[in-house]
Amino acid sequence: MGDEPETKLNGVLRVVIVGAGFGGLETAAALSRSPVNVTIIDRKNHHLFQPLLYQVATAALSPADIAWPIRRILRRQENVQILLGEVTGVDSDRREVIVGEKRIPFDTLVLASGATHSWFGHDEWAPHAPGLKTIADAVEMRRRILMAFENAEMEDNPTERDRLLTFVIVGGGPTGVEMAGSIAELARRALATDFRHIDPRRTRVTLVEAGPKLLPSFPEPLSDYARLALEKLGVEVRLGSAVTDCAASGVSFDGAHIAAGTIVWAAGVAASPVATWLNVSADRAGRIEVSPHLEVPGLAGVFVIGDAALCKNDQGIALPGVAPVAKQQGQFAGLLIDARARGRKDPGPFRYRDAGQLATIGRRAGVVDFGRIRFKGWLAWWFWGIVHIFFLINLRSRLIVAIHWLWSYLTFDRGARLIT
């Protein structure tokens, strides 16, 4: 390669997408008929449906039920090539993405690299309080949860046995609420009669939230319902309790300490290091503030979407880091790139169409918020399940997940209880 990178490949615009999550795949799909060459770079070979990751962690589903090979998903899109590798930087001047020692030239760049865990400056907590972002995280969490019961079965000291059967979830957002309910049901239903020396129904599950309510983005009545539904499952909810330490012995907050064998971190996320790659400023969560067209100010043709983008609505409120936002941003970025490749006028600024928010609490309770339309309980739980099945990638996954859920609902069984 010479001193200056080529601007185009065979006269065709080169689009590089970093990340094959919801936003990255939507961008690629929107470019399926566009006169561009698309390169997708991801450090994993699969796309993951993150909203159901907690069900892998609690043995309700297997990893293959919610993850699919990227090459399989895009096999029919002839203008796409896929590279497996970890991006380590971006050379904005030469317009190249750096993957190890390899450099991938681009005319247009879409950074859809998502987010990772944030322990709010206490990274030393990570080994004791792992988060849930990847298949590897979920499989490890499943191992820790199931091993807690196995170790308790062999423990003669009642104090240590109680510690092993104590689970603490830090963070009262949707992930924390769903994890707490799922662990409680796993202990009190699926494992209730499987052991001889311990009674899993005596398992203690505690959900710790620093704020004044669970599901902070939901209306107050639905948040209150979620708390009551968790307490009905036997979950102890601690609100207004900021964690001060996570260690092998347990969790400390507000001068109190809970001796716990397993801690789940669901309290915070940080954007992937896109700001460092581009050498631009970012907010405390590492997000880059983008223009109304989702471009980085001062870097034409460089888009940031999804969890790494600080994108505000018409009221100046930052959009949440959820799948619907990433999907809509990906579709918008793809349509904008296609318009430019064809020499057409840019579409108007990005506007998020709020599709509402949902959360589930155990096997028969849920909350749904569509703004003016809100409902809860058994109907909301069914609606949550139907929506999540619909958004799975293919028919096979939809059928498998539906069958697993139906079987689990009828029998309380968890078929993916493998310790690996």
Side-chain angles (χ1 to χ4, degrees):
M1 189 177 296
D3 293 334
E4 296 294 331
E6 296 175 348
T7 56
K8 291 185 180 181
L9 179 64
N10 298 326
V12 179
L13 197 71
R14 296 170 302 189
V15 180
V16 173
I17 302 172
V18 178
F22 292 110
L25 286 186
E26 284 292 329
T27 305
L31 293 169
S32 61
R33 299 181 182 275
S34 183
V36 299
N37 285 324
V38 180
T39 300
I40 296 181
I41 306 171
D42 201 298
R43 61 183 178 181
K44 304 181 297 295
N45 79 329
H46 58 270
H47 168 73
L48 172 65
F49 191 76
Q50 279 195 357
L52 294 182
L53 200 57
Y54 82 95
Q55 296 220 349
V56 175
T58 54
L61 294 174
S62 296
D65 297 337
I66 63 166
W68 309 270
I70 300 166
R71 296 185 186 278
R72 180 69 177 173
I73 297 171
L74 298 172
R75 66 192 184 281
R76 293 193 176 97
Q77 192 165 333
E78 295 182 356
N79 66 342
V80 171
Q81 68 165 333
I82 299 160
L83 300 179
L84 185 64
E86 184 164 1
V87 172
T88 55
V90 175
D91 189 330
S92 302
D93 295 330
R94 294 178 59 85
R95 299 185 78 79
E96 295 173 334
V97 176
I98 303 169
V99 185
E101 297 184 358
K102 187 176 180 64
R103 288 174 173 256
I104 312 298
F106 66 86
D107 301 304
T108 299
L109 175 64
V110 180
L111 294 170
S113 45
T116 185
H117 315 294
S118 173
W119 289 269
F120 306 118
H122 293 279
D123 289 351
E124 69 275 11
W125 296 352
H128 312 296
L132 202 58
K133 283 291 182 185
T134 68
I135 286 291
D137 293 337
V139 172
E140 169 62 16
M141 183 61 64
R142 182 181 67 185
R143 186 193 68 82
R144 292 191 183 204
I145 292 171
L146 296 179
M147 281 302 301
F149 293 98
E150 297 293 343
N151 290 332
E153 177 79 351
M154 296 181 62
E155 181 57 56
D156 295 325
N157 185 319
T159 301
E160 176 63 10
R161 189 187 308 128
D162 289 343
R163 187 188 73 83
L164 290 169
L165 292 177
T166 298
F167 298 82
V168 175
I169 298 91
V170 182
T175 299
V177 168
E178 289 169 350
M179 275 294 296
S182 193
I183 291 175
E185 287 198 332
L186 174 69
R188 289 166 174 75
R189 295 287 190 174
L191 302 180
T193 60
D194 283 11
F195 294 87
R196 297 295 176 263
H197 300 294
I198 62 170
D199 182 359
R201 290 170 293 190
R202 297 183 57 191
T203 296
R204 180 185 182 187
V205 182
T206 302
L207 179 58
V208 180
E209 164 58 35
K213 67 175 190 175
L214 298 180
L215 303 175
S217 62
F218 282 72
E220 193 84 30
L222 296 184
S223 297
D224 290 342
Y225 173 80
R227 177 179 56 80
L228 293 173
L230 283 175
E231 291 175 345
K232 187 176 180 180
L233 289 175
V235 177
E236 178 184 349
V237 179
R238 299 284 191 102
L239 299 176
S241 302
V243 170
T244 57
D245 188 39
C246 294
S249 60
V251 177
S252 299
F253 55 92
D254 297 340
H257 180 79
I258 296 179
T262 305
I263 307 170
V264 180
W265 186 262
V269 296
S272 58
V274 290
T276 302
W277 296 344
L278 299 174
N279 194 27
V280 298
S281 60
D283 70 354
R284 292 178 61 184
R287 298 176 299 178
I288 298 175
E289 186 163 0
V290 294
S291 74
H293 285 88
L294 307 180
E295 288 180 285
V296 179
L299 295 175
V302 177
F303 298 82
V304 179
I305 63 175
D307 293 338
L310 177 57
C311 181
K312 298 180 180 179
N313 61 18
D314 294 338
Q315 290 74 44
I317 301 172
L319 297 177
V322 293
V325 172
K327 288 169 73 71
Q328 291 184 33
Q329 288 179 337
Q331 185 180 46
F332 176 88
L335 294 175
L336 175 57
I337 294 167
D338 178 65
R340 292 181 180 179
R342 298 178 187 274
R344 297 173 180 171
K345 183 180 178 181
D346 285 358
F350 172 75
R351 282 189 171 85
Y352 174 57
R353 303 179 303 279
D354 191 353
Q357 49 187 346
L358 311 88
T360 183
I361 310 104
R363 67 191 294 271
R364 295 196 65 180
V367 289
V368 174
D369 174 27
F370 288 137
R372 294 182 179 180
I373 301 176
R374 302 167 182 170
F375 53 100
K376 60 192 178 183
W378 180 81
L379 179 62
W381 180 82
W382 273 101
F383 185 83
W384 175 94
I386 292 169
V387 167
H388 281 71
I389 288 174
F390 175 78
F391 280 110
L392 292 173
I393 286 289
N394 54 38
L395 178 61
R396 173 185 175 275
S397 297
R398 292 169 189 157
L399 290 174
I400 289 174
V401 170
I403 291 170
H404 279 322
W405 282 351
L406 179 61
W407 181 256
S408 178
Y409 183 82
L410 295 174
T411 68
F412 294 97
D413 189 24
R414 301 281 179 107
R417 283 159 43 190
L418 305 180
I419 298 174
T420 57

